[in-house]
Amino acid sequence: MGRVVKLGSLTADMVVQAILSPVSTQWWGSSWSFFDAQRHETDGVSYVSAKLSKFNPEGEVIIADMETRQEVIQAEPNLRVASSTFIYIPEVSGIAFTKVYNHIDENHFAARFSDIVEATHLGFFLECHVKLITDLRTFAQKLRSLEKIVKISAAVHPPNPLFGPLWKPLKDYIDARRSEKMVVTEEATKEKPLTTQLPEHVERAAEQTAQSPYVPDEPLPIGDAAILMAADGYGDGTVKGIRDTETIVIKTSETIKNFSVDSDSSIIEAFRIAYEAFKQIEQDRHMEH
C-alpha cells in the first residue's frame, strides 16, 4: 500500500489520464508501461485498475521444430516478462499493487509507475512519487530494539488531501513556506546520542484506535514528526541506531503496510478490501482532511 504524491502541476486527473493512455519507458534494457487499464466506480467511489508490465522489446522464445527435431530461437518482440496488477484510488491518494518476486518489488513498482506518469505528461513542471505506507507496529518493534539513536533523517512532501494530527504542525509549516519538499537530518554520536522519544511516539501511534487517539502533551519535535509523516506515506524516513555495539539502519520503506486477497478475486473485491484498509488507516491514525 502506498500514497501517490503529486508535485508541481500534476493532479489526480492527470495521473488517471496517464494510466489510461500511457507512454512506454525504458530501464536497464526492459520496457515498462500500463496495460488493461479500466475506470471503475464501486459503492460511489471512483478508481482505476491496470497492470504495470515489464516487457522485452527484443524478446526471443525457443520453439520446437517437429520436422527437423531441433529447438529454434524465434524473435518475439515485446515479450512480457512480468505484470503487477494495481488499483489507484484518487479519493485517498492511495495505490495498492501486487509484488512479483524477482521482477517487480516495491521499489521497482514505485519508481517505474512514477517514471511512466511523468513521461506521459512530458515531465513538464511536475513530479510523481509513490511513497509506501509503513506498518507502524512492525516499525515500532524495530525502533524499540535500538539502545541508542544517533541519526534521524527524512524527506517529506506536503500531503493532499489527508494529514495526520501528530505531524500537523510540520505540515502547516511546509504549507506556510510553500515548499514542495522538506529534508530533515539530525545526527549525533554514539557517546552522546540523540535525545528523542521517537520509539515511544511510533509505538503509541501504532496503538491508536478510532476511539482512542494518541495526544502527546506537546507537539512532536520536527525530526520525530517528519518520520511519522513519512510513515504515513508522504516521504521517506531513516533511523540509525546502536544495538549490541552494532550500527542498525531502519527505513520506513522496509516495513510496508499490506493486505492479502485471493488470487481469483475480482477487481471489485480487491478494491473493496484495499479501500477498507485505507479507510482503517485513516481512522486508526486519526487522519483528517
Side-chain angles (χ1 to χ4, degrees), residues 240-279:
K240 182 188 290 186
I242 307 299
R243 181 199 305 151
D244 296 331
T245 71
E246 182 181 0
T247 300
I248 305 295
V249 176
I250 302 171
K251 298 181 180 180
T252 55
S253 60
E254 292 174 344
T255 54
I256 306 165
K257 192 75 174 174
N258 58 71
F259 60 90
S260 298
V261 295
D262 293 334
S263 58
D264 59 351
S265 296
S266 67
I267 289 296
I268 292 177
E269 291 171 330
F271 158 76
R272 284 184 168 138
I273 295 172
Y275 186 68
E276 182 180 349
F278 278 113
K279 299 304 286 186

Side-chain angles (χ1 to χ4, degrees), residues 38-186:
Q38 290 184 303
R39 290 181 182 268
H40 306 268
E41 183 172 320
T42 301
D43 303 330
V45 180
S46 298
Y47 59 102
V48 181
S49 68
K51 294 177 181 177
L52 170 64
S53 293
K54 173 185 178 182
F55 56 98
N56 189 341
E58 299 178 359
E60 295 178 337
V61 293
I62 299 176
I63 63 172
D65 188 320
M66 301 305 293
E67 293 184 3
T68 63
R69 294 294 172 175
Q70 298 290 319
E71 289 186 340
V72 180
I73 297 177
Q74 177 176 298
E76 189 65 47
N78 298 326
L79 180 67
R80 193 190 78 171
V81 178
S83 286
S84 170
T85 301
F86 68 88
I87 295 172
Y88 171 53
I89 312 172
E91 178 186 308
V92 293
S93 298
I95 191 163
F97 57 92
T98 57
K99 179 177 178 177
V100 184
Y101 288 95
N102 298 322
H103 289 291
I104 307 177
D105 63 17
E106 298 88 344
N107 294 324
H108 283 143
F109 183 94
R112 303 289 77 78
F113 180 95
S114 300
D115 287 347
I116 296 167
V117 171
E118 291 177 2
T120 299
H121 293 293
L122 306 179
F124 191 69
F125 295 114
L126 56 82
E127 290 182 36
C128 178
H129 302 278
V130 173
K131 299 300 181 183
L132 305 173
I133 299 174
T134 302
D135 183 327
L136 290 181
R137 292 187 183 278
T138 305
F139 188 45
Q141 289 174 359
K142 290 187 174 184
L143 292 178
R144 280 293 192 188
S145 72
L146 300 177
E147 298 163 10
K148 305 174 183 178
I149 292 178
V150 296
K151 185 175 182 180
I152 290 174
S153 60
V156 294
H157 305 275
N160 184 18
L162 295 168
F163 65 87
L166 290 174
W167 43 267
K168 183 178 184 297
L170 178 58
K171 175 256 186 191
D172 291 342
Y173 172 82
I174 294 173
D175 287 344
R177 302 282 286 185
R178 298 181 183 175
S179 173
E180 290 199 335
K181 181 179 181 180
M182 181 176 182
V183 178
V184 178
T185 300
E186 298 178 301

Side-chain angles (χ1 to χ4, degrees), residues 17-38:
Q17 291 169 17
I19 294 172
L20 296 173
S21 301
V23 299
S24 296
T25 61
Q26 302 285 324
W27 191 72
W28 279 58
S30 295
S31 295
W32 298 74
S33 194
F34 303 134
F35 295 89
D36 300 336
Q38 290 184 303

Side-chain angles (χ1 to χ4, degrees), residues 179-238:
S179 173
E180 290 199 335
K181 181 179 181 180
M182 181 176 182
V183 178
V184 178
T185 300
E186 298 178 301
E187 194 163 5
T189 64
K190 296 178 182 179
E191 293 71 27
K192 293 184 178 181
L194 288 173
T195 300
T196 175
Q197 293 180 302
L198 179 62
E200 179 183 345
H201 293 316
V202 174
E203 187 171 57
R204 296 289 298 276
E207 293 172 348
Q208 291 183 110
T209 64
Q211 295 74 33
S212 179
Y214 170 45
V215 183
D217 295 333
E218 298 179 353
L220 299 190
I222 290 176
D224 297 356
I227 291 292
L228 280 165
M229 186 173 178
D232 281 338
Y234 297 105
D236 300 293
T238 302

